[in-house]
């Protein structure tokens, strides 16, 4: 099923922003559309924390992608008009070099010897893919969540490398509330004895820690208002086992249980820890002294900043900060404050609201 | 230090709402003010999940209580005018019968053999204290959080037993978002191997589980806006240990770490599980068919409903629902929607906002 996946292998060391270097770095990506229209007609997509580069189906890999409704011929990110590239983040276990990869210098997986990962490293790995494809200036760099932070880093690090930027439910830097929640998720995983300081084996994964961290993620990715509508106080249909005073009572609990169980095993725990921490460490102010100055240095002509009112992790005020900073820097900015109920996850589910805005922005480019 | 604590011991079985009965139930409480003014001049206070009955200092126990600034001579809950009683919830480990108590029938601690605990049981235990003190009709029943749910249950169960009610940051029933968070806290404790199905000993407590659950509690008791103001992106002053890629980076992380460590060991884990679940199970609609009908059955003359805009767990819409329902039932309702930044915990910290409103309401009674 990974037939669509391409790999760029770098023949020089990849220096990490916070120190250390990786040898023989691989960066996985997928592409859609006609490669002959590349360079000024390329759209470069970065992902949230957990997806792979498989953003949409293709003839090589017909499985639906994580943004299937957004990408394709005639879709908002129109593969009839654009050459579309989605990059698997450095540090993610789906083909790019990550803590789960074997270190060529030792023959052993990196695990915790992987250097500190930053959002800037992810952006730079994506930039290597763009250059390798002959894309000096993309039509747009697009990303939601961690991917949104990554496109902001991309604009800060590579002036002139993009004509426009679409940042969705991202932030110039993480709020302490979001840092606290992610820090707790990481601690829950690290406190699982099976984590073994990162030296778990496929037979003894920190499954409980990953399950609990995932549940906390699911709770905070959505919104209280959506859950009130979806679940109310519906009782779970599963029968409580006799003598189990703390089993599942409510539908919302069985929803979390089922989905967390699905996720576990799909994502390498050490990779999760590194990517999660990269989000905490990101601070656009590192590129210019303040967030304002960093945004003022952007050279894109157009920016689309989208956010959701019910987002707990990347609150709408943080989207507004981005829009205002870019505007103050003289960029043409479209700021969209969406009423989606689904919180931070809205870009994955509330497609009817997101699609026309992105289609319209890219159409006018 | 527990010199102020009084204990009511019931000489008949205490039938629990969801089945089962407790023998020789003890209910701990403290009192302030002149007992001769009792009955129509008594204020009965129920607590949130974690505090004891020690709401304020007294000559018998000069340690500051959890609501020290609210209770005393000349304070909003004026012990010069009222006889004030604070009840330790049934199921709480601070003197009342709880899962940590010894079952007189077996000589062993109840642990998980304790029957399912409901908010109604807590209210009824408090009512026994009121009756034992000769208080047939309290001037006011007052409670924040779980205590707010308890005073709602008190009004539903005992018509005529209170002239007024003050409900603070409570709800007619828990929202699924809050249920999900509390359910996850309970699961985190139960997944700690040291929990041992509730059979831990003082030497082998589920300390990690309690620490992590407490951190999650602390994150959700406050608000993102407050934390942005308090912590920003301040780095922790502790030096990161070399070779520890997931230690503490930010001040907000070290704040959580210090406070969670303090809490652990102070609260019995099984009691925490029972009280937390009681909040999920509470539904005022059980008393009348719907929340509206239950509120319409209240006989109090006056109600003060207070809530906080930044409260994630008991959102302001739930306070409004209470106020509107009581108003529709013909009660005189004062509804206060506070701008406190400190989220659900505001009633413990934003005293300058809470005090004058409560003082004024009680003064006019």
């Amino acid at each position: 099923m990974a037939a669509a996946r391409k790999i760029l292998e770098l023949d020089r060391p990849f220096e990490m922003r916070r120190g250390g270097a990786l040898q023989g770095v691989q960066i996985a990506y997928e592409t859609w559309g006609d490669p002959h229209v590349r360079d000024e007609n390329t759209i470069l997509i970065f992902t949230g924390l957990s997806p792979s580069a498989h953003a949409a189906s293709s003839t090589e890999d017909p499985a639906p992608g994580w943004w299937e409704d957004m990408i394709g011929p005639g879709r908002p990110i129109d593969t009839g008009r654009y050459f579309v590239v989605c990059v698997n983040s450095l540090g993610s276990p789906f083909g790019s070099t990550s803590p789960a990869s074997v270190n060529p210098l030792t023959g052993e997986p990196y695990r915790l010897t992987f250097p500190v990962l930053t959002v800037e490293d992810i952006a730079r790995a994506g930039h290597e893919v763009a250059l390798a494809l002959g894309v000096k200036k993309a039509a747009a760099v697009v990303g939601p969540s961690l991917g949104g932070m990554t496109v902001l880093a991309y604009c800060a690090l590579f002036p002139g490398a993009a004509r426009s930027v679409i940042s969705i439910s991202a932030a110039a830097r993480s709020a302490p509330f979001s840092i606290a929640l992610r820090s707790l998720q990481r601690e829950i995983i690290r406190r699982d004895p099976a984590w073994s300081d990162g030296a778990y084996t496929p037979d003894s994964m920190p499954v409980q820690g990953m399950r609990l961290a995932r549940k906390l993620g699911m709770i905070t990715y959505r919104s209280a208002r959506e859950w009130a509508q979806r679940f109310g106080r519906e009782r779970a249909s599963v029968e409580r086992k006799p003598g189990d005073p703390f089993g599942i009572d409510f539908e919302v609990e069985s929803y979390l249980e089922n989905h967390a169980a699905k996720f576990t095993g799909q994502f390498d725990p050490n990779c999760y820890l590194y990517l999660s921490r990269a989000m905490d460490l990101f601070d656009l102010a590192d590129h210019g002294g303040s967030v304002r100055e960093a945004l003022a240095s952007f050279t894109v002509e157009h920016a689309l900043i989208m956010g959701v009112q019910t987002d707990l992790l990347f609150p709408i005020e943080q989207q507004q900060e981005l829009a205002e900073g870019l505007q103050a820097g003289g960029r043409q900015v479209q700021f969209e404050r969406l009423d989606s109920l689904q919180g931070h996850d809205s870009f994955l589910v509330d497609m009817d609201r997101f699609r026309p805005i992105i289609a319209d922005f890219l159409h006018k480019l």
Side-chain angles (χ1 to χ4, degrees), chain A:
Chain A
M1 294 304 279
R5 184 200 283 174
K6 299 169 183 73
I7 303 272
L8 170 69
E9 183 157 349
L10 295 185
D11 52 11
R12 56 191 188 289
F14 187 92
E15 304 283 341
M16 301 287 276
R17 184 176 169 86
R18 294 217 166 193
L22 299 170
Q23 310 296 326
V25 157
Q26 300 194 325
I27 305 141
Y29 63 97
E30 292 195 25
T31 68
W32 300 262
D34 180 357
H36 296 101
V37 303
R38 70 179 77 177
D39 199 13
E40 301 242 334
N41 281 309
T42 294
I43 292 181
L44 192 59
I45 301 173
F46 289 92
T47 78
L49 190 153
S50 45
S52 71
H54 191 58
S57 59
S58 57
T59 44
E60 300 99 314
D61 182 353
W66 60 267
W67 231 11
E68 185 71 17
D69 291 343
M70 193 62 85
I71 302 164
R75 299 222 166 108
I77 298 179
D78 188 348
T79 53
R81 184 175 163 202
Y82 291 106
F83 179 60
V84 178
V85 181
C86 181
V87 178
N88 180 233
S89 300
L90 187 71
S92 161
F94 302 119
S96 294
T97 298
S98 79
S101 307
V102 170
N103 178 350
L105 299 182
T106 64
E108 295 287 323
Y110 285 102
R111 304 200 166 103
L112 301 199
T113 68
F114 200 81
V116 172
L117 178 73
T118 68
V119 171
E120 285 85 348
D121 297 319
I122 299 169
R124 206 154 60 75
H127 189 238
E128 295 285 353
V129 170
L131 293 181
L133 291 169
V135 178
K136 286 185 219 71
K137 183 171 200 153
V141 285
V142 182
S145 189
L146 169 60
M149 287 177 155
T150 310
V151 298
L152 296 172
Y154 198 94
C155 293
L157 291 173
F158 310 112
R163 235 161 65 225
S164 70
V165 62
I166 303 181
S167 161
I168 301 171
S169 300
R173 48 186 173 198
S174 292
F177 181 77
S178 312
I179 291 175
L181 283 165
R182 278 194 293 266
S183 169
L184 181 57
Q185 287 177 299
R186 295 195 297 271
E187 190 176 352
I188 289 172
I189 294 169
R190 289 164 43 230
R191 294 285 178 190
D192 185 331
W195 182 60
S196 310
D197 285 319
Y200 49 82
T201 61
D203 303 335
S204 65
M205 301 283 282
V207 175
Q208 291 302 351
M210 287 294 281
R211 265 188 60 257
L212 295 170
R214 178 63 177 175
K215 282 190 179 182
L216 179 51
M218 291 174 63
I219 294 171
T220 54
Y221 296 159
R222 309 299 278 240
S223 84
R225 264 169 66 210
E226 183 201 3
W227 285 26
Q229 285 194 8
R230 270 176 80 171
F231 301 112
R233 288 180 59 84
E234 199 88 26
R235 297 290 165 142
S237 49
V238 255
E239 268 302 303
R240 177 188 278 284
K241 278 179 291 182
D244 174 9
F246 296 107
I248 283 171
D249 280 306
F250 295 99
E251 198 51 42
V252 63
E253 294 176 286
S254 85
Y255 168 83
L256 284 175
E257 183 60 32
N258 294 334
H259 280 68
K262 253 190 247 170
F263 179 75
T264 307
Q266 281 176 23
F267 207 90
D268 178 73
N270 289 337
C271 292
Y272 184 89
L273 295 174
Y274 272 86
L275 288 163
S276 162
R277 182 153 173 254
M279 293 175 85
D280 288 0
L281 295 175
F282 181 61
D283 191 342
L284 199 56
D286 294 344
H287 305 272
S290 71
V291 169
R292 269 291 163 119
E293 285 175 68
L295 290 168
S297 76
F298 281 24
T299 62
V300 293
E301 295 156 33
H302 302 274
L304 170 58
I305 307 295
M306 303 178 80
V308 167
Q309 307 262 24
T310 52
D311 193 333
L312 285 174
L313 293 177
F314 294 82
I316 195 73
E317 298 77 31
Q318 293 198 303
Q319 320 306 319
Q320 195 165 346
E321 180 188 29
L322 290 175
E324 288 175 359
L326 286 169
Q327 211 139 31
R331 309 278 77 78
Q332 288 210 17
V333 181
Q334 180 180 345
F335 175 41
E336 296 286 347
R337 183 194 294 266
L338 302 187
D339 283 328
S340 308
L341 270 183
Q342 295 92 344
H344 185 61
D345 264 0
S346 296
F347 64 88
L348 291 173
V349 275
D350 193 10
M351 299 309 284
D352 288 347
R353 245 184 264 258
F354 277 80
R355 268 187 311 208
I357 297 169
I358 292 175
D360 186 55
F361 178 82
L362 291 175
H363 186 76
K364 287 189 299 197
L365 273 193

